Amino acid sequence: MAQQERAIETRAAIIRGAAAAFQTRGYGSTSLAQVSAAAGVTKGALYFHFDSKEALAVAVIDAQHEASAAIGRTLLSENVLGLRAIIIMSLELARQLHEDPIVSAGVRLTIEAANFETPVAGPYLDWMEACEEYLRRGIAEGEISPDIDTVAMAHFIISAFTGVQVVSDVLTGRDDIEDRLIEMWAVVMPSLVPTDRWLELKDLPTRIREERAAA
């Protein structure tokens, strides 16, 4: 049991070290020697758990995906109103990107993974699926226009979020990511909210941000 626990701890340390290295240097410029140094393990220990740099990168993406998917599961299980859930999901993902090296590295790797043999589209597809579900809930709850194409809108919101976080990372290291997200929502909300609910809901993204800051 102790040996198994050490193996689990070593694997987790390697993933943390890999995340730090990939986030700093990118996939192409990171060597396994740099990962082993960042993780504080030997190259032999690293190769025991991961047989290639791509396998290690995929493990980081999987760890990031699990951390981010937990947000969606919580919002769905707590039956948060659909429109509010989409906004909370975006702000929580932004917080993870700013504060969690594994999440930040995993998202960077999905963008850099065009030549991976292993498909890494799962996180984006899952985010879109969750967003579609929230949009459908919002329509049923009367806070989102029934004329919305939920598939197209989910695709757009996730794509817009991706662009916002990339530009925020380049310009400020994501220090301004919440400000930029509020701007994104200011553009998107008029397309989502029915006219008769606009005055009530137009400031919802800002109110949710303030609630989270006060919690």
Side-chain angles (χ1 to χ4, degrees):
M1 180 63 71
Q3 186 175 359
Q4 183 179 8
E5 290 175 355
R6 283 196 300 273
I8 293 171
E9 291 171 1
T10 299
R11 188 179 191 278
I14 293 170
I15 290 174
R16 290 193 298 271
F22 287 137
Q23 176 56 24
T24 301
R25 301 179 181 88
Y27 180 78
S29 298
T30 297
S31 69
L32 290 178
Q34 290 166 330
V35 171
S36 64
V41 301
T42 66
K43 290 185 71 174
L46 190 154
Y47 277 111
F48 176 80
H49 290 277
F50 302 100
D51 61 7
S52 68
K53 185 167 74 168
E54 180 174 322
L56 183 51
V58 170
V60 173
I61 291 171
D62 288 344
Q64 169 264 309
H65 186 199
E66 175 57 30
S68 299
I71 303 168
R73 289 196 297 269
T74 298
L75 292 169
L76 287 171
S77 67
E78 293 179 352
N79 291 315
V80 177
L81 293 175
L83 180 58
R84 174 176 282 267
I86 299 171
I87 297 167
I88 292 172
M89 181 174 73
S90 72
L91 289 169
E92 182 59 19
L93 284 170
R95 183 198 64 77
Q96 288 186 341
L97 281 164
H98 190 242
E99 298 178 2
D100 188 330
I102 290 177
V103 172
S104 182
V107 168
R108 176 171 181 167
L109 287 166
T110 60
I111 295 171
E112 297 180 352
N115 296 320
F116 282 15
E117 292 184 7
T118 305
V120 293
Y124 289 99
L125 296 174
D126 286 351
W127 291 341
M128 289 177 194
E129 183 178 345
C131 194
E132 285 179 44
E133 174 61 24
Y134 300 143
L135 289 167
R136 288 191 291 268
R137 284 190 179 192
I139 290 170
E141 293 154 355
E143 293 189 345
I144 292 176
S145 171
D147 298 328
I148 291 295
D149 181 328
T150 56
V151 174
M153 182 57 74
H155 194 285
F156 175 77
I157 289 172
I158 300 305
S159 299
F161 175 89
T162 300
V164 165
Q165 69 88 7
V166 168
V167 174
S168 176
D169 186 28
V170 170
L171 296 181
T172 70
R174 297 197 181 96
D175 286 344
D176 70 345
I177 190 169
E178 284 199 358
D179 292 335
R180 302 292 77 81
L181 271 180
I182 295 301
E183 291 174 350
M184 183 195 87
W185 283 113
V187 173
V188 174
M189 289 288 283
S191 300
L192 286 177
V193 177
T195 303
D196 62 348
R197 303 293 301 273
W198 176 246
L199 291 179
E200 173 192 352
L201 296 172
K202 65 177 182 177
D203 296 325
L204 184 61
T206 299
R207 295 203 307 270
I208 290 174
R209 182 188 186 185
E210 293 171 348
E211 289 170 4
R212 288 167 55 84

